[in-house]
Amino acid sequence: MTRAPLALALLAATALPTATLAAPAGYAPETGTVHGAPLPAPTDRPLVPPTATWDSFHGQLNAQKYAPLDQITAANAGQLQKAWEVHTGDVDDGSGGGTETVWSATPIFANDTLYLGTPFYRILALDPGTGRQKWAFDTKSELKPLTQPALKNRGVAYWQAAAPEPGASCQKIVYIGTMDARIFAVDADSGTPCAGFADNGVLDVNRWNTTNARWPLSVLQPPTVVGDHLIFGWAGKDWAYEQAPPGSVFSVDARTGRLEWTYDTLPAGIRDQTGTANVWAGMSVDEAHGLVYLPVSSPSPNYWGGNRTAALPTTTAVTALDLATGRMVWTRQLVHHDIWDYDINSAPTLVDIDVDGQTVPALIQATKMGFLFVLNRLTGEPVWPIEERPVPQGDVPGEVYSATQPFPTRPAPLLDQSAKPEVWWLADLVGFGECSRLFDSLSYEGMYSPPTTTGGGVLAYPDSSGGVQWGGVAVDPVSQTAVVNTSHIVQYLKLFDRETYDRVAGASGAENGYYPQEGAPYGMMLDVARNWLGMPCWKPPFGELVAIDMKTGAVKWRRPIGASQQYGFYMPESWGSPTIGGPAVTKGGVIFIGATIDSKVRAYDLGTGRELWSSIVEAPAVATPAVYDYKGREYVAFVAGGNPIIKDQVGDEVVAYALPQ
């Protein structure tokens, strides 16, 4: 099964003493929104592109993952057939001394070409109708897990000049980032390096790694391209150190690689003693209002905060920056004093919604906690009330605890985090009571139950990978329907003082095992709650697909998604599957999604949730699909690359489907 983060609580504070975090100047406790620079002057750029667009990681800069195409509909999606498939050869299962690959790249359609990045840090340019390779570019990067347990890639980015110079090269550019902290720029027509970009086509991002430089600033998420700006954050090494590189986001000139601005997520006075709060996921952009939106992660170390006891409202937050200057316009913290690694892990989805007779420029921020925060994207203020509610307090020496956490009132939580999940009778029976004994040994007073050194530890629900993962929310802007896939996973977590940790620590894997938090007083262990046979100890479903009416915040429908798989057997689909990846939606009323353990890609009816079609691919398709029109034919393309968080199966397949000609 999948690995898991922690879960939410509606409970009042316990009798344990409360250490209240000091509120910094400018912090607004009644709303949680901090305001900074003025809003840029608006332009007439539309939020939704006027034509079908899938030229970035989320399809469009608004992160709606929406295609205004209707050749494929709920009535005919069952007729979809494979149009073409390609195997890149860039795959490794980790056996034989190699490093396992994790491939989560969304194909992008631009310049009448389908572009992909691979986990061996190559760029492929494919014919969108046949899959024939036009060209390939190899960065020749070091294939070592410098910051991650596997070789990872989430794709490429694309830019083109507003007024191309006839006959000049690099008027259209494709970019790929690498784990060793470089960004390569190549001509989109030929794959030839763009000599005018940075150092002969290569930007060394690590030149800006100047504080707590314990690892390279890995660029695994493709940069966000808007106008002539190339904007990117970076990924690092989870749970390893107390002091780590502090979070930063960079904007460079898309033609030259020249640095335009830097946004630091942590104030100067604390950057040396903590770190991270980086932006490792994708971003979204409101071009009309000149804003780029950042999903900001938690500070380090992730599961102990005694080194960062002042309020840091720009961490575990969604933040809006002035696109031109990098100045913060507003930020809203979604977890106070985060000691659960509840990174904001997906780009907010931007959509205009009609609420109580008014059109609201909104964003929908999905979270690991299984909450959807709906904010006015121009001000950061909530569309529906967000309540500060008391949460459990802890007793770990040296730690402080926020007395409250923010709870959105609409939409309702995607998972019930208010009570300890029920033990699954079947897993408990097979395990001869093993699951019941495990759950009885774990403390739990709701999602924000703090990490502990006592007993078996604390139950964590949702898990460390998230109730919603980096695929985020897709939206049909016409019906104002949001679609999101969820995972229901239970982990357990325990802190160990340094002496004990050094004595008991074992190995670690894909978000499970032992992690040192070196420099902090406590190391930690986390694992998924399973019996001896590997069965999850909590009741299904293990994953769902949910549709929400964004005019009211009400759930339109929800259903289990996928089938879990163990020892080659498919479990009943009513049990669902943990998911990684995201959905795409179309004007034809179809949802396309992979994301599940069973290595199937599927189509669902947007109106009802009914499954319309499925196909088996080489490995779990843990990337959002791309939907595009090429020469009058609508295609949906999936990357089937796998991720060991949900299943030890990897692949190198790119496959496109279309209706019969």
Side-chain angles (χ1 to χ4, degrees):
M1 295 297 303
T2 315
R3 320 301 176 192
L6 305 170
L8 308 123
L10 300 169
L11 302 180
T14 68
L16 292 172
T18 300
T20 304
L21 301 179
Y27 187 67
E30 72 278 3
T31 65
T33 301
V34 178
H35 297 278
L39 191 68
T43 66
D44 59 358
R45 297 295 295 270
L47 179 66
V48 179
T51 58
T53 302
W54 213 279
D55 61 0
S56 61
F57 180 73
H58 299 294
Q60 312 83 37
L61 289 173
N62 57 30
Q64 289 183 359
K65 298 171 277 292
Y66 172 74
L69 300 174
D70 57 5
Q71 189 177 93
I72 302 170
T73 67
N76 63 25
Q79 301 172 36
L80 285 168
Q81 58 184 219
K82 187 181 296 184
W84 55 263
E85 70 175 306
V86 169
H87 291 270
T88 69
D90 291 4
V91 63
D92 197 320
D93 64 5
S95 63
T99 300
E100 190 173 29
T101 51
V102 170
W103 195 22
S104 310
T106 297
I108 65 170
F109 175 71
N111 193 32
D112 276 347
T113 304
L114 206 64
Y115 296 104
L116 297 116
T118 80
F120 285 5
Y121 308 111
R122 292 196 306 139
I123 302 173
L124 303 181
L126 306 180
D127 182 293
T130 65
R132 178 186 60 83
Q133 182 174 299
K134 295 183 175 183
W135 56 259
F137 172 77
D138 190 350
T139 66
K140 296 182 168 53
S141 293
E142 186 177 24
L143 300 183
K144 292 184 178 180
L146 302 175
T147 59
Q148 305 286 304
L151 301 176
K152 291 185 179 181
N153 171 266
R154 293 202 178 116
V156 298
Y158 176 83
W159 169 88
Q160 66 180 42
E165 299 175 24
S169 64
C170 293
Q171 301 301 288
K172 302 173 182 178
I173 300 177
V174 180
Y175 309 88
I176 188 170
T178 65
M179 194 176 293
D180 58 6
R182 294 182 292 169
I183 295 176
F184 290 77
V186 302
D187 184 279
D189 290 324
S190 66
T192 304
C194 293
F197 180 84
D199 184 10
N200 290 316
V202 185
L203 175 64
D204 178 11
V205 178
N206 229 35
R207 71 179 68 184
W208 301 310
N209 187 6
T210 57
T211 303
N212 303 332
R214 295 180 178 272
W215 58 63
L217 305 182
S218 298
V219 185
L220 307 179
Q221 175 72 34
T224 297
V225 178
V226 53
D228 289 336
H229 303 284
L230 191 70
I231 305 171
F232 54 92
W234 47 266
K237 185 177 291 188
D238 286 337
W239 313 330
Y241 301 104
E242 175 191 27
Q243 297 171 337
S248 48
V249 172
F250 306 104
S251 177
V252 303
D253 185 289
R255 294 175 182 269
T256 67
R258 178 184 58 84
L259 182 66
E260 297 173 324
W261 52 256
T262 299
Y263 172 72
D264 295 319
T265 63
L266 290 167
I270 200 170
R271 289 165 65 82
D272 288 343
Q273 70 193 59
T274 174
T276 66
N278 55 323
V279 178
W280 57 262
M283 308 173 203
S284 51
V285 177
D286 183 338
E287 291 185 273
H289 293 95
L291 296 175
V292 57
Y293 298 92
L294 317 180
V296 184
S297 70
S298 58
S300 63
N302 297 110
Y303 291 99
W304 183 76
N307 66 330
R308 44 180 174 89
T309 57
L312 299 171
T314 54
T315 66
T316 317
V318 55
T319 299
L321 303 184
D322 184 319
L323 181 63
T325 66
R327 296 178 65 195
M328 187 193 78
V329 175
W330 61 259
T331 186
R332 187 177 186 98
Q333 188 170 68
L334 305 184
V335 181
H336 305 321
H337 191 65
D338 188 352
I339 50 174
W340 301 273
D341 191 29
Y342 276 154
D343 296 349
I344 308 307
N345 63 346
S346 63
T349 302
L350 315 184
V351 61
D352 295 337
I353 57 177
D354 297 320
V355 178
D356 298 331
Q358 293 189 337
T359 299
V360 179
L363 67 76
I364 308 167
Q365 181 63 73
T367 65
K368 285 187 177 186
M369 300 89 75
F371 284 147
L372 300 181
F373 288 87
V374 184
L375 307 176
N376 183 309
R377 66 177 181 269
L378 306 186
T379 66
E381 302 298 336
V383 173
W384 293 294
I386 296 174
E387 299 176 353
E388 290 286 337
R389 298 178 183 172
V391 293
Q393 303 295 287
D395 58 359
V396 171
E399 184 60 276
V400 301
Y401 303 91
S402 178
T404 64
Q405 293 291 350
F407 287 73
T409 56
R410 276 196 276 177
L414 298 171
L415 307 87
D416 180 9
Q417 323 100 327
S418 63
K420 182 182 283 190
E422 291 184 51
V423 171
W424 187 21
W425 69 268
L426 182 59
D428 206 34
L429 178 67
V430 172
F432 302 102
E434 181 181 6
C435 291
S436 291
R437 291 191 296 273
L438 174 62
F439 275 43
D440 288 345
S441 74
L442 303 173
S443 64
Y444 191 75
E445 297 174 272
M447 179 178 70
Y448 290 110
S449 297
T452 182
T453 60
T454 62
V458 64
L459 184 142
Y461 180 70
D463 71 322
S464 59
S465 63
V468 180
Q469 246 284 346
W470 51 261
V473 177
V475 169
D476 172 10
V478 179
S479 67
Q480 299 178 27
T481 301
V483 178
V484 60
N485 51 294
T486 72
S487 290
H488 302 222
I489 301 164
V490 174
Q491 273 182 325
Y492 56 101
L493 164 75
K494 186 172 182 178
L495 297 179
F496 298 93
D497 64 65
R498 184 57 53 196
E499 181 180 350
T500 304
Y501 179 86
D502 290 343
R503 186 175 68 252
V504 304
S508 61
E511 298 202 22
N512 71 319
Y514 289 84
Y515 296 87
Q517 300 192 135
E518 183 180 312
Y522 303 96
M524 42 83 68
M525 177 278 297
L526 78 167
D527 205 350
V528 177
R530 293 172 285 198
N531 67 13
W532 65 273
L533 195 60
M535 297 174 67
C537 281
W538 64 99
K539 282 182 63 175
F542 307 123
E544 291 184 291
L545 191 63
V546 185
I548 298 167
D549 182 348
M550 292 310 302
K551 296 185 288 293
T552 64
V555 171
K556 298 179 77 168
W557 53 261
R558 64 190 308 153
R559 55 159 298 147
I561 179 174
S564 295
Q565 196 177 11
Q566 188 83 350
Y567 308 118
F569 296 98
Y570 290 107
M571 304 300 121
E573 292 204 6
S574 61
W575 295 358
S577 163
T579 64
I580 292 182
V585 296
T586 74
K587 181 181 177 182
V590 179
I591 303 165
F592 291 109
I593 188 169
T596 55
I597 284 179
D598 56 12
S599 301
K600 288 185 178 181
V601 295
R602 292 176 166 87
Y604 293 94
D605 186 320
L606 177 63
T608 66
R610 179 172 60 93
E611 184 175 319
L612 305 171
W613 165 87
S614 68
S615 180
I616 295 178
V617 292
E618 183 180 34
V622 293
T624 302
V627 184
Y628 60 92
D629 175 273
Y630 183 63
K631 295 183 177 179
R633 194 179 188 194
E634 182 179 344
Y635 295 83
V636 56
F638 294 87
V639 162
N643 190 313
I645 289 178
I646 60 171
K647 187 182 183 183
D648 287 325
Q649 182 179 5
V650 296
D652 67 342
E653 183 184 30
V654 190
V655 56
Y657 298 89
L659 294 174
Q661 288 182 303

